Amino acid sequence: MTDSDLLTLLTLQHRIDQHMTLHRDAPHSDPDPLDRYFFPDLIVAAHLIRLSWPDGTCFAPSGPLADLIDHHLVSATVQRHRYVPGQRAGSTWPAPEDPAECAALLVAAHALLVGEDHGASGLVDRVQPLAAAAYSRSAANIGAVLRRMDVSPDLARALACRSDGFYRAGGHRQAKQQVPSRRCRFGIQHVPALLPETWVHTHFSDLLSLSEHPSDGKVRHLRRVASLKLAEMSAGGTWPECAKKLQIPWRTAQQSLRVVKNALTESNLWPAFDEAMESLARQLDDSSDRVDYRSRRAFLEPWRLSDADWAQLCHGLSRFRRGINSPTEEAATALIWAQVTQGDHLHSPVLSALRQSGQSTHRLVASISQLRTPANRKGAKLELLCRLEAYAVRLAAICDQQGTSAASTSSRLAGSEITG
């Protein structure tokens, strides 16, 4: 071991001593909350170096220190294989008994944590390859155990497995770690169930231009998946948990993920998706007027368009044929709800209520489709859509006002202000 190696070991020992005496020397001060993660992070990083070795050789400051870690791992492997059938299996987690080997492992673990780039993104870049190697070479539960340890949020993000653009928060349905996958200044309350089309045009136009045949249906799936990703970034959890928080049915979310996964994987567009998501997240971070879509969804859960407002909206539009697919106030309710909450009209409360009561939704869905079909956007139907959009804008403003009751909403929106 060289003098330089010894200096490196002593420097880390000094840092360890400082953290061990931190609370004792300053019992009345407010320590940095990240200080409590110093030892848990160091322990997990040491296990990660061990389980992924020799992939983490670059984090050992010198060849002699790397040789010490290598010697420890060879000895540990021999010890595990000495157990005979019927005896308890050797531990996957033994610490080095030799002080020099232990010191070398801790120095490599510390280098993994701090690196040259102290930022969270740099930590992810360093940890993810080692985590992937460790998870693939170890028992199935090793990755889950590591991710459940009480480590810092940045290390928890770095340890999460990633697959097709999304991180998995744990190996089971109920993961201990619910840490967001990104440091965000916006929250999940600012995420709608369907990404607004203006956001799509601003951040996903390059991605769509590279996609083959981006139909309206595929774009709608992309809007839903992007919202799930924003939820993961800001609140953490698995995609089913994110879907539940956004009130997206599990099967709907699964189908959208399948469609988007196939489209992006075939064309190798996941990096473009990640870049678009990061661009959108930065915009939301910087925004000073973020919309609370969760509050809007809760506000409009019991809301229905009143007969009086429907009559006002239809005033002067006498050319509607009263057929099975003609516009109805229930259809108008679903469309207004969808615009205000930026949700899917198929998951609107009025349609959900029909499903829960066992009634058919066919007629209402057909009526909505008649209004949404581009070919039908002319004449009286186009005028009605314009009025519904104006109504939705006013309703959204009322939703965003604090202390406004849903019961008073209809009366505040009725009248010539809507119909012009």
Side-chain angles (χ1 to χ4, degrees):
M1 186 182 300
T2 65
D3 291 343
S4 176
D5 290 338
L6 183 58
L7 179 60
T8 300
L9 297 181
L10 290 174
T11 300
L12 178 58
Q13 182 63 61
H14 179 62
R15 292 202 63 181
I16 291 174
D17 291 343
Q18 285 182 316
H19 280 82
M20 291 183 69
T21 60
L22 181 66
H23 299 285
R24 186 182 65 192
D25 293 345
H28 302 297
S29 64
D30 295 325
D32 186 337
L34 293 180
D35 283 335
R36 77 178 186 91
Y37 293 117
F38 177 82
F39 290 112
D41 281 10
L42 192 62
I43 292 169
V44 169
H47 285 311
L48 198 58
I49 292 287
R50 292 180 66 257
L51 294 169
S52 63
W53 194 262
D55 293 41
T57 306
C58 60
F59 296 105
S62 70
L65 292 178
D67 291 340
L68 286 170
I69 299 173
D70 195 66
H71 184 268
H72 155 64
L73 291 172
V74 170
S75 301
T77 300
V78 171
Q79 287 293 332
R80 283 202 302 272
H81 290 166
R82 284 179 181 173
Y83 288 88
V84 298
Q87 289 182 327
R88 186 174 180 181
S91 173
T92 309
W93 313 92
E97 296 181 0
D98 181 81
E101 293 176 358
C102 189
L105 181 59
L106 289 176
V107 164
H110 186 256
L112 171 63
L113 291 173
V114 297
E116 295 181 358
D117 179 0
H118 292 265
S121 60
L123 180 62
V124 171
D125 292 339
R126 294 191 299 274
V127 168
Q128 276 286 303
L130 301 191
Y135 300 160
S136 66
R137 299 171 191 171
S138 307
N141 67 327
I142 294 300
V145 171
L146 281 175
R147 292 192 297 273
R148 281 178 170 78
M149 290 186 176
D150 187 23
V151 295
S152 65
D154 284 344
L155 183 55
R157 275 186 279 269
L159 286 168
C161 292
R162 183 169 183 174
S163 176
D164 297 327
F166 282 78
Y167 291 92
R168 297 200 299 272
H172 302 281
R173 288 180 179 269
Q174 299 299 325
K176 179 180 177 180
Q177 287 288 359
Q178 294 293 327
V179 64
S181 64
R182 181 185 180 275
R183 289 181 179 178
C184 296
R185 289 193 288 273
F186 64 93
I188 193 172
Q189 69 272 23
H190 304 121
V191 180
L194 278 176
L195 208 68
E197 292 183 359
T198 54
W199 295 3
V200 174
H201 295 152
T202 301
H203 301 282
F204 291 83
S205 57
D206 290 343
L207 173 64
L208 293 174
S209 67
L210 296 172
S211 303
E212 293 185 6
H213 312 298
S215 64
D216 289 344
K218 287 184 178 180
V219 172
R220 194 169 186 81
H221 287 300
L222 176 63
R223 292 171 61 194
R224 186 174 291 117
V225 169
S227 287
L228 290 172
K229 183 63 181 179
L230 284 178
E232 181 210 71
M233 286 176 160
S234 58
T238 60
W239 71 257
E241 292 168 332
C242 292
K244 184 176 182 180
K245 292 171 184 175
L246 297 182
Q247 298 180 5
I248 301 173
W250 185 88
R251 291 187 181 279
T252 301
Q254 184 188 49
Q255 175 63 12
S256 289
L257 283 165
R258 182 183 296 114
V259 171
V260 171
K261 173 184 176 181
N262 291 339
L264 298 187
T265 301
E266 289 175 1
S267 303
N268 192 28
L269 291 177
W270 282 111
F273 175 81
D274 292 338
E275 183 178 346
M277 290 303 311
E278 180 60 28
S279 172
L280 173 56
R282 288 196 299 268
Q283 175 187 310
L284 289 174
D285 279 341
D286 297 338
S287 176
S288 59
D289 57 349
R290 292 185 286 261
V291 173
D292 189 335
Y293 289 103
R294 181 170 59 190
S295 176
R296 287 187 179 185
R297 288 192 295 266
F299 184 86
L300 291 183
E301 180 66 29
W303 174 82
R304 300 293 184 273
L305 187 66
S306 70
D307 293 340
D309 280 1
W310 176 238
Q312 287 278 12
L313 288 166
C314 293
H315 180 71
L317 305 179
S318 58
R319 289 177 290 174
F320 287 135
R321 291 178 294 179
R322 301 302 175 185
I324 189 174
N325 296 334
S326 295
T328 64
E329 59 189 82
E330 290 81 8
T333 296
L335 289 173
I336 292 170
W337 176 90
Q339 181 173 332
V340 174
T341 66
Q342 288 298 305
D344 191 328
H345 67 273
L346 294 176
H347 307 145
S348 61
V350 65
L351 272 163
S352 297
L354 288 177
R355 295 189 190 97
Q356 292 171 5
S357 64
Q359 300 181 59
S360 172
T361 61
H362 176 75
R363 183 172 182 175
L364 179 52
V365 171
S367 177
I368 296 171
S369 298
Q370 280 290 312
L371 282 172
R372 293 186 68 249
T373 301
N376 292 333
R377 293 181 181 179
K378 54 188 177 182
K381 288 182 179 178
L382 177 59
E383 176 61 26
L384 177 61
L385 284 172
C386 292
R387 294 181 183 184
L388 293 179
E389 290 176 4
Y391 190 106
V393 169
R394 296 182 182 277
L395 180 56
I398 291 178
C399 286
D400 296 337
Q401 293 174 5
Q402 296 297 320
T404 306
S405 66
S408 66
T409 300
S410 292
S411 62
R412 293 183 62 175
L413 293 177
S416 58
E417 287 182 300
I418 300 299
T419 59

